[in-house]
Amino acid sequence: MKGTQGFGKAPIIAAILITAAVSPALTGCSSSSDGDYDSAWVGDIEKDVNISGSVGDGPLVNASVTIRKKNGEELASFRSDGSASYDVALSVSERHFPLLIDVTGGTDLVTDSPPDFVLKSAVLSARDSVTANVNPFSTIAYELAKDLNGGVTRSNLLA
């Protein structure tokens, strides 16, 4: 073969040694047949986060508030209280942020009617205590971020 003269069996031996060294490492990374994962993995530690805020298109009482992971999976669902506020404690992994909040129904105390549209907001990052007010302005920011490249991400929400 052209260009391999002088190397002899060294490339073959090197390939065998690399394969022997990498195979056990790759086998250790695979999941077991029952779908469990390595319990020693610590990359997904959950953090306790207290999220509170107000719900307003005018104050909305008894509105249905849903908090979801960024992939849409529901974390909590509850109602706003008599002062159009909410407060919930969650345990969430940082990889699930931004958390998405949507509010439907309820009664606007100013107009005595339900809201005209779904109100939305987001929690950008995990901190011990976070205020996430949900109102028409947060809904506009959410909808604008959704239309940007990448969708509802932390950087798009900040933009």
Side-chain angles (χ1 to χ4, degrees):
M1 271 193 254
K2 186 176 180 182
T4 59
Q5 294 175 344
F7 288 109
K9 295 182 181 180
I12 294 171
I13 294 170
I16 292 170
L17 290 174
I18 289 171
T19 302
V22 171
S23 292
L26 292 176
T27 302
C29 291
S30 67
S31 62
S32 64
S33 60
D34 64 359
D36 288 342
Y37 56 90
D38 184 2
S39 62
W41 171 251
V42 294
D44 198 21
I45 298 172
E46 293 192 346
K47 178 173 175 45
D48 292 332
V49 179
N50 187 62
I51 304 169
S52 62
S54 64
V55 180
D57 178 27
L60 280 174
V61 298
N62 203 29
S64 177
V65 180
T66 304
I67 299 180
R68 303 177 192 281
K69 296 177 183 177
K70 71 179 178 183
N71 69 1
E73 182 182 334
E74 185 176 311
L75 287 169
S77 186
F78 48 90
R79 299 233 173 238
S80 61
D81 64 20
S83 62
S85 298
Y86 71 93
D87 191 347
V88 64
L90 301 171
S91 187
V92 185
S93 170
E94 294 233 11
R95 71 183 175 96
H96 296 300
F97 284 82
L99 299 181
L100 311 175
I101 303 171
D102 59 84
V103 175
T104 57
T107 303
D108 184 325
L109 293 178
V110 175
T111 64
D112 198 33
S113 60
D116 294 327
F117 51 91
V118 175
L119 296 168
K120 299 180 180 184
S121 190
V123 177
L124 300 182
S125 61
R127 292 181 302 192
D128 294 338
S129 183
V130 179
T131 300
N133 295 320
V134 187
N135 54 53
F137 297 113
S138 65
T139 303
I140 291 170
Y142 182 102
E143 292 296 331
L144 287 171
K146 187 171 79 173
D147 291 338
L148 294 175
N149 188 23
V152 183
T153 63
R154 177 178 165 71
S155 59
N156 284 350
L157 286 163
L158 290 172

